[in-house]
Structures are given as C-alpha cells and as structure tokens.
C-alpha cells in the first residue's frame, strides 16, 4: 500500500439555493444515501425538481462519521445481492461522477477467533461463492502473509484461527463521495438545502403533501426519509413507528504513519475494525454503546476495552497516538438488515436501519430507493427489505455478517 494524497477540489461544487415553495419530491437527509437517491432520481427517472433537505451541513452526519469500509460478503442471498450491486457501482462511479473519491480495493479480512467463528465464516465463504461474490478462507499463516503486522500467536486473548477475505473490498474517502454525488446532483438541477431542519409534515388524510421546516413549508407529492439514526424521530412526526433502535458508535484516527497496514481487518468477535487511510492515519472503530441515544459521542470505557484488544492483535499500535475520536448514530433493526420501501403514509418512503452497513451500500441504496420513490413500487433488490417483513416474519438475519455494531 502507498499513501495517496487526495486530488484537488473542482473550483465549484454546488449551489446553496433558498428552498422553493414546492418540489416534485423532497429527500430528508443530505448524507450519502439522500444524495445518491437524488442523483439516481434525476439520472434514471428524469426527476430534477427535487430538494435534498439537511438540518446541518451536507454529509455532516453518519457520512462523516464512519470508517469507510466497503464490502459485499454478506450471508443471505438478499443481502449479498444488494451489497454486491453496490460494490459494482463503486467500481464505476468515480468515472461516472467525474470525481476521484479514492476508492481503494485493498481487500477486507474478517478474523475468526473461536471454533464457532470458523464454522460460521467458512459457511459464509461458501454462500458468497454461490452468489458470485469473491470470497476466500485464509488459514492463520495466510492471514499473516497478507497482513504482516497482525499477531497470530496462540497466547493472546483472541487468537487468530483464520479469516474470510474479500479481495475486491476496500475503502473510499467518504467526504469526497458525498461531494461527488452533490456536485452531480447540482448539475442535474437538484436543490441541496443545508441548515434546513424538518419540524413536521403536511398530510391530506393519510397522504403526505408537504414538509414543515425551520425555513418554511415546502409542498411536495413525495417524501423520502434518509436520515439514518433520526429516522424514527421523523416517522413519529409523520404518525407511524419504525422498528429501529439508535445507538452511539465511535471511532478514532491516529497521527500519520508510514504505510504499515496493507488491507482492512475486522473482528466481529472483538468488535474492532482497522484500516490505514490514504494519508497514513490508522482508522479504528469500536462496537456500539449498548444504550439507545442520539449523542454523537460514545462512552470511553467501550473504546478503551476494544482498543486494548486491538493492541494485542496489532502490537505496533501500542506506540501510536490518538489524534481524534468521533461518534455517529447507527440505526439498527432486529434482524440487522435495512428497511427500504413504502410506509403506512401514502407517498412517504423510508430508507433506514442500515446499522454499520450504510456507507458501503450507498450507491445501491440510492439507486433502489430512487426507483421506489419514482415508481411507487420496490426495486427487485430492495423488495425483500420492506417494512412489512416485521409483520410477515420474513426476516433476513445478518447478525453474523453485518458487522460489529449489531
């Protein structure tokens, strides 16, 4: 791996328009999913009279508060299909969006520390291959060859007994991804309105007809909710409930280092995931804090415990210094799979519940959510992730493969 300096920004990214009194569709949430949805609504469905409303600054929520891991090695057919489609879109989007967001396919390893981990991991590799997802099982020595700084000795608390490996997986620079989508949205005529907080919804019977904001009322025929951890708050305003829980999730970066970490390493058992960013920072994430909340900071004891385990796995990290920590708000469901589809309110749609899978799914989430908003029907990739599955029992249990925060 070599360090890679981010490219220079274009001279112009997007306008900052005042909100109009009406739009054909309003997307609530100016993060990756909201921007990608607006982009595909304009590009694939010709809907350009759209507003993306963001209560803070563009991509200042979970888009700026994740560890940018991209992979598609999920267990079940439904999950593998949508995440693999996302990965294929990641591979072409830098050219399509005309913006280098430093997508680096350096591979992702998921470590196994127990016999149970090994059995589950080998099963998942087999399932991935059946779904056309690149996946391999590595023994401890192969893990060491791929990531020499990993400690594979048997005398540590979490000995490495092998790992799954997806070579096409990797990372991207998250803020550049948001700016790439935002710039294209702007070119296509989409209004991106920052510092615009939704305070309520206008309804005609059970049909949504507008959005109340701190910058005035906006009339619209369709509303798409893409607000991650705050989705349940918006749903409550609209008069229905979502089966999601919001938790703080924290991560940190070190100061700059020479390239030492050639791939991405995750451990669902330890609840740690590590990569090295393009400029050289070590990027590490922890599991969720167990309590529900909307704070963008986590408890110190959680990350302290998990970083102690990380130092055992990566002894050279003991000499690294933490430069910055941050927290996001993850929205989790009972089956660790997202909700993308219609809601009990007519012409209101929801995209939430991605947990830690949101960033990696950004392109496919936007593409399928745009299809659902434009046509009123599910795309074949998001059809299994409808809200109704919590009534029918057709759950998609991805707790084993989802990540550390479920």
């Amino acid at each position: 791996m070599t360090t890679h300096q981010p490219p220079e920004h274009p001279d112009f990214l997007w306008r900052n328009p005042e909100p109009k009194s009406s739009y054909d569709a309003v997307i609530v949430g100016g993060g990756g999913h909201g921007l990608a949805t607006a982009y595909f609504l304009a590009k694939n469905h010709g809907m350009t009279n759209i507003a993306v409303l963001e209560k803070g600054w563009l991509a200042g929520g979970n888009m700026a508060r994740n560890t940018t891991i991209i992979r598609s090695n999920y267990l079940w057919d439904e999950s593998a299909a949508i995440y693999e489609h996302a990965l294929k879109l990641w591979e072409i989007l830098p050219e399509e969006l005309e913006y280098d967001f430093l997508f680096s396919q350096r591979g992702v390893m998921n470590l196994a520390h127990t016999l149970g981990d090994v059995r589950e991991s080998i099963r998942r590799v087999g399932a991935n291959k059946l779904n056309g997802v690149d996946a391999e099982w590595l023994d401890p020595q192969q893990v060491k060859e791929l990531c020499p700084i990993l400690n594979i000795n048997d005398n540590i608390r979490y000995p490495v007994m092998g790992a799954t490996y997806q070579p096409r997986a990797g990372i991207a620079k998250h803020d550049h991804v948001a700016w790439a989508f935002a710039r294209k949205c702007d070119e296509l005529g989409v209004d991106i309105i920052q510092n615009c907080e939704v305070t309520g919804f206008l309804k005609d019977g059970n049909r949504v007809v507008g959005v109340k904001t701190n910058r005035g009322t906006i009339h619209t025929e369709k509303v798409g909710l893409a607000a991650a951890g705050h989705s349940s708050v918006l749903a409550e305003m609209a008069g229905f409930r979502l089966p999601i829980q919001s938790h703080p999730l924290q991560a940190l970066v070190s100061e700059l280092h020479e390239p030492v970490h050639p791939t991405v390493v995750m451990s669902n058992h330890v609840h740690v995931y590590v990569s090295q960013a393009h400029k050289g920072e070590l990027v590490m994430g922890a599991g969720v804090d167990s309590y529900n909340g909307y704070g963008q900071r986590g408890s110190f004891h959680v990350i302290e415990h998990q970083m102690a385990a990380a130092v055992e796995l990566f002894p050279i990290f003991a000499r690294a210094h933490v430069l910055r920590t941050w927290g996001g708000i993850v929205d989790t469901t009972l089956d660790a799979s997202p909700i993308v589809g219609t809601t009990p309110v007519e012409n209101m749609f929801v995209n939430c519940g991605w947990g830690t899978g949101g960033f990696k799914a950004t392109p496919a989430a936007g593409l399928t959510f745009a299809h659902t908003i434009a046509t009123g029907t599910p795309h074949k990739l998001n059809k299994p992730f409808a809200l109704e599955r919590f009534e029918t029992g057709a759950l998609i249990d991805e707790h084993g493969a989802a990540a550390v925060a479920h």
Side-chain angles (χ1 to χ4, degrees), residues 73 124-129 132-137 164-167:
N73 56 346
R124 183 148 57 94
V125 167
N128 289 161
K129 289 180 177 177
V133 176
D134 56 317
E136 304 172 16
W137 170 252
T164 65
Y165 181 57
Q166 184 179 18

Side-chain angles (χ1 to χ4, degrees), residues 159-181:
V160 176
M161 301 178 71
T164 65
Y165 181 57
Q166 184 179 18
R168 289 170 53 243
I171 61 173
K173 191 159 177 53
H174 47 89
D175 44 6
H176 286 226
V177 174
W179 299 334
F181 274 117

Side-chain angles (χ1 to χ4, degrees), residues 37-269:
T37 300
Y39 169 69
F40 286 112
L41 276 171
K43 172 179 173 281
N44 292 356
H45 303 281
M47 293 179 64
T48 57
N49 185 28
I50 302 170
V52 177
L53 308 184
E54 169 55 49
K55 75 172 183 178
W57 64 92
L58 186 142
N62 283 2
M63 191 64 177
R65 299 170 183 274
N66 69 84
T67 51
T68 79
I69 297 171
I70 295 168
R71 62 186 175 89
S72 62
N73 56 346
Y74 282 68
L75 177 64
W76 297 109
D77 297 353
E78 299 89 344
S79 309
I82 195 167
Y83 284 106
E84 176 62 15
H85 193 76
L87 182 50
K88 290 177 178 174
L89 289 172
W90 282 112
E91 291 171 333
I92 63 171
L93 276 174
E95 181 176 355
E96 180 175 318
L97 298 177
E98 300 178 291
Y99 203 115
D100 180 9
F101 48 71
L102 304 180
F103 180 39
S104 169
Q105 291 178 285
R106 62 185 66 182
V108 171
M109 281 199 296
N110 289 77
L111 301 179
H113 301 286
T114 68
L115 288 176
D117 287 349
V118 171
R119 283 193 292 268
E120 188 280 329
S121 299
I122 292 176
R123 176 194 182 202
R124 183 148 57 94
V125 167
N128 289 161
K129 289 180 177 177
L130 289 173
N131 276 314
V133 176
D134 56 317
E136 304 172 16
W137 170 252
L138 306 179
D139 62 32
Q141 192 56 46
Q142 290 172 312
V143 169
K144 183 72 173 177
E145 291 170 2
L146 195 61
C147 187
I149 62 173
L150 253 173
N151 180 6
I152 62 168
N153 291 334
D154 293 333
N155 60 349
I156 59 176
R157 283 186 295 168
Y158 305 101
V160 176
M161 301 178 71
T164 65
Y165 181 57
Q166 184 179 18
R168 289 170 53 243
I171 61 173
K173 191 159 177 53
H174 47 89
D175 44 6
H176 286 226
V177 174
W179 299 334
F181 274 117
R183 190 173 68 136
K184 275 299 175 186
C185 284
D186 185 85
E187 284 182 11
L188 293 166
V190 174
D191 281 357
I192 299 169
I193 303 169
Q194 302 176 81
N195 300 309
C196 186
E197 181 174 1
V198 172
T199 57
F201 295 98
L202 292 177
K203 293 167 66 175
D204 180 4
N206 191 42
R207 181 166 58 92
V208 67
V209 294
V211 180
K212 299 176 182 176
T213 80
N214 62 341
R215 297 177 63 176
T217 297
I218 300 172
H219 297 274
T220 184
E221 298 176 358
K222 298 183 177 185
V223 174
L225 307 180
H230 291 286
S231 299
S232 56
V233 177
L234 292 168
E236 191 78 21
M237 289 182 190
F240 66 98
R241 299 187 68 186
L242 288 170
I244 63 172
Q245 295 186 359
S246 296
H247 295 266
L249 178 69
Q250 54 191 321
L252 59 88
V253 295
S254 73
E255 77 275 47
L256 303 183
H257 292 277
E258 293 295 320
V260 295
H261 194 18
T263 185
V264 180
V265 176
M266 304 178 62
S267 169
N268 292 7
H269 193 95

